[in-house]
Amino acid sequence: MGDCGLIPQEVDGETSIEVGYHVRVTLQGRGYATEAAEACRAYAAFQLGLRRLIGIIKPANLPSQRLAEKIGLRLERATRDRHDNEVLIFSGDP
Ligand SMILES: CC(C)(COP(=O)(O)OP(=O)(O)OC[C@H]1O[C@@H](n2cnc3c(N)ncnc32)[C@H](O)[C@@H]1OP(=O)(O)O)[C@@H](O)C(=O)NCCC(=O)NCCS
């Protein structure tokens, strides 16, 4: 169906844990990513005790931004990734 999980990412010299998600095109729009990302948020909070969770999202990727907001992340800033592409950093205390 896809994947969803937590992965360390270095952004502007700081390492944070990102929640990442991908759903097969034919299965999108059914709430699967919301369910999986919410489970990862809860795992980050209650099993790992993290105080910061991020999403690294391209400006044009509105479904991913909406998903980040649905699990409580908020737009923090715009920056550039290691390929020099503009990305938005969504973050929050999970
Ligand atoms: C992002 C992705 C994982 C979402 O998967 P999904 O299973 O379709 O997500 P959900 O069904 O849980 O819905 C996510 C939300 O995005 C919203 N959404 C969908 N398309 C949207 C659009 N074009 N603009 C704004 N919001 C949109 C949905 O309406 C839903 O919000 P809602 O519940 O308030 O209606 C999926 O689009 C995907 O795999 N994209 C390609 C990979 C990718 O970009 N991954 C993220 C990299 S940062």
Side-chain angles (χ1 to χ4, degrees):
M1 292 173 62
D3 61 79
C4 182
L6 302 173
I7 185 167
Q9 296 278 13
E10 188 179 319
V11 182
D12 299 334
E14 177 192 16
T15 299
S16 300
I17 303 299
E18 180 189 29
V19 55
Y21 30 70
H22 301 83
V23 170
R24 185 177 291 199
V25 171
T26 54
L27 298 175
Q28 289 178 6
R30 303 183 189 190
Y32 292 138
T34 299
E35 184 177 341
E38 172 57 24
C40 286
R41 184 207 59 74
Y43 186 85
F46 300 118
Q47 300 297 319
L48 303 180
L50 298 186
R51 302 304 307 272
R52 176 174 169 79
L53 186 65
I54 68 167
I56 305 169
I57 307 174
K58 291 178 179 165
N61 194 343
L62 298 181
S64 183
Q65 291 173 44
R66 174 68 189 135
L67 184 49
E69 288 175 344
K70 286 180 72 177
I71 63 164
L73 306 185
R74 296 292 174 261
L75 179 62
E76 179 182 289
R77 69 184 195 276
T79 187
R80 296 202 166 264
D81 67 13
R82 63 180 182 275
H83 306 296
D84 203 34
N85 298 312
E86 184 181 15
V87 290
L88 302 177
I89 306 301
F90 282 71
S91 69
D93 181 342

